[in-house]
Structure formats: C-alpha cells, structure tokens
Amino acid sequence: MFNKSAKGNFLDEVRKQKALILISVPYFVYFLIFSYLPLWGLTMAFQNYKPQLSFFEQEWIGFTHFRNLFTDPDFYRVMRNTLGMSIINLVLSFVTAIAFALFLNELTGPFFKFKRVVQTISYMPHFLSWIIVCGLVSNALSMDGGIINELLLATGLVKNKIHFLGEASYFWWIVGFTNVWKSMGWNSIIYLAAITSIDPALYEAAAIDGYGRFGRMWHITLPGIKSTIIILLILNAGWILNAGFEVQYILGSNGLVLDVSETIDIFVLKRGFGRSGGFAFGTAAGMFKTVVSVIVLTLCNKIADWVGEEKLI
Amino acid sequence: MRKSFGDKIIDGIIVFFMAIIVIIMVYPLWNTLITSFNEARDSMKGSLYLWPRKWTLFNYQSVFKTDKIFKAFIVSVARTLITTIVGVFISGLFAYVLSRKEFIFRKFLTTFMIMTMYINAGLIPQYFLYRNLGLINNFWVYVLPGLVGAFNVVVIRTYINSLPASLVESAKIDGASELKIYFNIIFPLCMPVLATVALWVAVGSWNSWFDSFIFAPKQELSTLQYEMMKILSSSMQSGVKQPDYLAESHTSRSTVTPNSLRAAMTMVATVPILVVYPFLQKYFVTVNIGSVKE
C-alpha cells in the first residue's frame, strides 16, 4: 500500500485524501473508546479489585480469580448448560430451517401466493423482542389456561397439566424450540436463495430418470445447497459459547430450574453484580468466555474459508 | 410439467404442514391480541381462544394513562428514532469512506473496525467504561454504544462497492467534495441497503431491555420493553415485587391484571414493527446474501 520510493508520495496522498482522513477520525475515536478502551478493564481480572482504590493502588494477584473460577462447581454447571443449549439450538435451528426451505421450495404454480404468505409470516417472529417472545411462550405453557396444556388435556394425551417451566428436564428443549419459533423463517432465507441458483435442468433430468418429488429434493436440492449448509454450520459453531442470555434469564426467572437454565453470561452477570466485590471475579469469568470464543471463532472462520476455497476448486 | 396424482397428494401434505406452521407462528400473537381487547377480570376465567368475550379498550387506556408506562413508551420511541436516523446516516458515511479503493488507511480502518465484532471486554469492563463516561442512568447510553455497528458498515460498504466506480470518479473530476458525493450521489443510491440496516437498527433499539436493566435502571429512563420485563418477571416469580401501578390500578372502577396489561403492551410494542416490515421485506434477501458473501 505504501509506496517504497518516497515519503513525499505518502504525504502527498495524505494531503490529497485530507477529507477522507478527517471524516475517519471520529470513527476511529469512537471504536477506540467503545470497543478497545474497555479491554483495559480486563486488568481487573488479575487484581484484588477494590473500587475505592485507584489503578496504581490495586493489589495484583495473578491468576487467583481464574483458579477460583476453575475450581468453582457452579462454573462447570453453567458451562454444561451453555454447551448443551448451544448444541440443541444449533442442531434444531439448522434442521428446521433447511427442512422449511426445502418444503417451501416445493410450493410452486398455483401455490405461489400461499408460499409468499407463509414466508412473510415466518419471518415475523424474528423481529419480536425476547421479552415478547418469552411472554408468549410462558403464556402458551402456563398451567393456568395455557394453550398447550389445554390441547394436551382436550386430546387426552395427558391426565394432569404439566408444569413445563418448572421441570428441569424440559428447559433446554423449551429454549431450543423457542429459538426455532423465533428464527426458523428468518434462517431459511439464505437456503431459499441458495436453492434458486440450482440449475433447473438438473430437476428435469432427474424427473426423466424417474426420481419422484422426494427423490429430487434429496438428490438435487439438498446436494445443491450442501456447501451453503456446511459453511453456515461451521460459522455458527463459532458462537458456541453464546447460548443466549435473555431467554434463559427470563424463562428461568421463576427460580425452579436455575440448575439447568443459567448460562455463562448469566453467571458473569450474577457473580459480577450480585455479590459485593464480585467485579473482578465476574471480569475473569467474562474474559475466559471472550478468549475461548475468539479462539473458536477464528478456527471456525479459517475452516469455513478453507472449505469455501475447496469448493471453488 | 403436468402434475401427477401423487404430486398433488404431496402438494396437499406440504400445504397442510405449512398451514400448521403458520398457525403456530400466528396464534400466540392472536391470543395476545384478543386478550388485550378483552376485559381483564373476564380473561382470568380462561378459555379465551378465538375472539374477545367482553370487549374493552381499558387495557390500552391503562397503558397510555399509566404515567410510568407512557413515559417508558416515549423513551422507547425517542431512543429508537435517534439511534436509527443518526446511526444509519453516519454508518453510511463511514461505509462510503471505506469503499474508496485509493484511501490509504482503508485496510487499517477496516481491520480496526471488524476486530470490534470479535473482541468483547465483557459486561463489567463495559459497565465501568460507561460509568467513567457518565453514561450510567443517562439517556445517551441507549444511543451511543450502538451508533456505528461494524456489521452494518460492512453490509453497506459491500453494497456501495457494487455500484459503478465511475460515479464517484466523475463527481471528483467535477470537483465535488467527499461529503457532497456521499450526500448527493451515494446516499440516494443506497436506499435499499440503508432501509434494511435502518430496520435492523430500529428493531434492535426498540426491542432492547438489557441496557435499561444494567445501565439505566432509574424509572425515568425505563423503556416499554423493560416495563414489560418487570411485569413478566413479577408474574413468573413469586418473590418479585409488582410494579406499583399494577397495585394502584386495582383501586379504580375497572381492573387490569398483569396479564392483560402485558398483552396490551405487547401489541403496542409489536404493531410498529409489523407496520414497517412488509415494506422492507423485499430487501431482505439481497442484503442477507451480500452479508454472507462478505
């Protein structure tokens, strides 16, 4: 980028691009303050942090907070919950979005209008807040006139109402299906777009070869979007420690299922703000999450790049 | 291709399942809608499925006449409008700067910005920063942290890159300044992508409650979502105190329950989104793919 030959050239360029540079300065400062400056706060993780002392008066205690973190049984519990819910979310959201896209794609000809309506409606929940979605879920699952319990009773599938949100073994699945409800339609957009780039001649050839509808879906459509699926799967796997915060916090707020509902983010929040002097420990826990996330993300992005190139060759 | 009998059956099955999915997507909101228009005491009897039994507007009156909720609504509107209008405009400007191939700091600034998507100091350092900046319990904590999002800038830049470069070049030859090129040429051409980004930013800001909860817990700065959160968690959790307006409202002639009030608030919070979203839907696909390709 920089011309080897002369410093003068560089300064000339600077002068010529003065406007662009001046516009960029506030953005540079903005990112510096809001994204990079907080990194300084990570030093807290290595201090016996006392809010009333200045930075230079803090006592440095090395990795004590991390040692405490790794010997804390709660830490292993929240890690288990985080990974468990992440994997359920990942698998459920992929399978449902792909299946939804595949079947939606089958609606052609006279069903075109219907397809449009289904699509429009299916994107909608993506735009609702987690508060609203959790409110809807807790209404639907309520013991007190919730539609799911009413339906189960009416069809005779159960004899007594089920306290869905009070039962630890249901919680991860409730979170998983809540995620599906909210994002299935939205996630399917990318697959529907990928499907449109499949050569229509392939379908005709398959039809001549005697493949039925499902045969074509399985042998043409699915392989046609395979690379999209793989790349998205790898990219999403990078966010494995982001199992979510809001759903678990709200749906788990009745306190009956805390054992399985608390994720690493909730742990950071509760330890950091909930206990006096918890700031430093909470920072250490948050830092652990960030460091692991960055490593996993970088790895996944590298793999996705590599797979993407492989595909092109 | 003519459809065979078997194909028609398969079509029927698919349509059937899609219809069920539509019902599952729509019914919870429909149920909330009828609850919001039904008399609160009557709703408590249950079995309210398809249509309100005792019509009332009282739940909505409570939303807008309860001082705290109405103020929260105003705060929500204000934060959303300011963040969206300012945020989209200045994100677009930065995207334009980063789209200029000859810009000497382009690579550096792009990397510097994209890094912010991955590094995250975590909640507590963030809290300390906002405290030092005087943003705790300050309205601007709703606006400033989300004003320029790296992802949004990347999406807009990708779009600008797809425009013919000659547009900018010829304007430069005519002696137009950078700001003028952005205002007069790039900004109008970017409407599709800017509309989509505006929708994301607006929805994100409108739907957010966590920033109120952690950074701006004082009542005057409460948002609609945060008030809903308080009502929801007080009805789910036995130990949590109800917002005081719920207790007050019982003394009046008509009554309102947490559930009915929340139903009306849910509709108030949902309708704006449902109104703007069909207009923007056509842009989703292009922008979505653009962002993945990036």
Side-chain angles (χ1 to χ4, degrees), chain B residues 162-232:
Chain B
S162 73
L163 301 171
S166 55
L167 281 172
V168 174
E169 280 157 22
S170 55
K172 288 229 82 171
I173 293 167
D174 291 346
S177 70
E178 299 293 351
L179 283 176
K180 221 175 191 165
I181 299 175
Y182 173 62
F183 274 104
N184 295 346
I185 301 173
I186 302 297
F187 191 75
L189 285 174
C190 284
M191 275 309 159
V193 70
L194 293 177
T196 313
V197 170
L199 179 73
W200 289 339
V201 174
V203 168
S205 184
W206 179 253
N207 281 346
S208 153
W209 63 279
F210 188 66
D211 45 12
S212 315
F213 177 57
I214 299 287
F215 305 126
K218 81 170 171 187
Q219 183 64 47
E220 295 89 275
L221 288 176
S222 185
T223 55
L224 193 57
Q225 301 284 345
Y226 188 40
E227 287 305 310
M228 276 197 277
M229 165 69 188
K230 286 185 201 165
I231 300 175
L232 180 61

Side-chain angles (χ1 to χ4, degrees), chain A residues 1 17 27 30 36 38 42 49 120 123 127 129 135-136 139 150 181 193 213 245-246 249 253 269 290, chain B residues 7 11 24 32 49 90 102-104 112 115 120 128 144-145 207 209 213-214 225 237 262 273 277 289:
Chain A
M1 210 185 350
Q17 301 184 1
Y27 294 94
Y30 174 84
Y36 289 92
L42 292 177
Y49 182 78
T120 305
Y123 302 161
F127 295 94
S129 75
L136 297 177
N139 286 348
E150 299 289 317
W181 187 82
R213 286 282 279 283
F245 164 84
E246 302 180 281
Y249 190 82
S253 68
L269 177 76
T290 306
Chain B
D7 271 348
D11 277 340
I24 294 174
T32 309
Y49 298 124
I90 64 174
E102 76 274 22
F103 182 36
I104 41 176
F112 189 73
M115 288 276 286
N120 176 2
F128 277 62
L144 289 175
N207 281 346
W209 63 279
F213 177 57
I214 299 287
Q225 301 284 345
Q237 224 167 334
R262 196 161 51 77
I273 294 174
Y277 139 90
I289 296 167

Side-chain angles (χ1 to χ4, degrees), chain A residues 116 120 123 127 186 189, chain B residues 191-193 195-196 199 276-288:
Chain A
R116 267 285 132 83
T120 305
Y123 302 161
F127 295 94
W186 184 255
I189 293 180
Chain B
M191 275 309 159
V193 70
T196 313
L199 179 73
V276 292
Y277 139 90
F279 297 103
L280 296 162
Q281 202 198 342
K282 58 181 172 207
Y283 302 128
F284 289 168
V285 177
T286 39
V287 173
N288 240 322

Side-chain angles (χ1 to χ4, degrees), chain A residues 199-210:
Chain A
D199 185 359
L202 288 174
Y203 289 100
E204 279 161 31
I208 292 163
D209 284 350

Side-chain angles (χ1 to χ4, degrees), chain A residues 61-135:
Chain A
I61 54 169
F63 286 90
T64 311
H65 288 308
F66 290 93
R67 216 168 297 136
N68 293 340
L69 179 68
F70 296 135
T71 52
D72 192 327
D74 278 346
F75 171 71
Y76 292 96
R77 184 173 58 85
V78 298
M79 281 307 284
R80 179 202 67 192
N81 295 342
T82 306
L83 294 175
M85 280 186 265
S86 258
I87 291 168
I88 288 180
N89 286 345
L90 195 66
V91 173
L92 276 185
S93 69
F94 264 79
V95 172
T96 54
I98 293 164
F100 184 62
L102 284 181
F103 285 109
L104 210 51
N105 183 56
E106 290 297 310
L107 293 177
T108 49
F111 300 111
F112 187 73
K113 268 239 166 80
F114 178 68
K115 177 184 167 186
R116 267 285 132 83
V117 173
V118 175
Q119 263 179 297
T120 305
I121 289 173
S122 71
Y123 302 161
M124 178 200 66
H126 177 76
F127 295 94
L128 301 178
S129 75
W130 276 116
I131 304 285
I132 290 178
V133 173
C134 292

Side-chain angles (χ1 to χ4, degrees), chain B residues 6-34:
Chain B
D7 271 348
K8 279 181 184 160
I9 289 183
I10 293 172
D11 277 340
I13 294 171
I14 294 174
V15 169
F16 176 72
F17 277 108
M18 289 297 169
I20 288 180
I21 288 176
V22 167
I23 291 170
I24 294 174
M25 298 278 178
V26 171
Y27 184 74
L29 270 180
W30 177 256
N31 191 271
T32 309
L33 182 69
I34 59 174

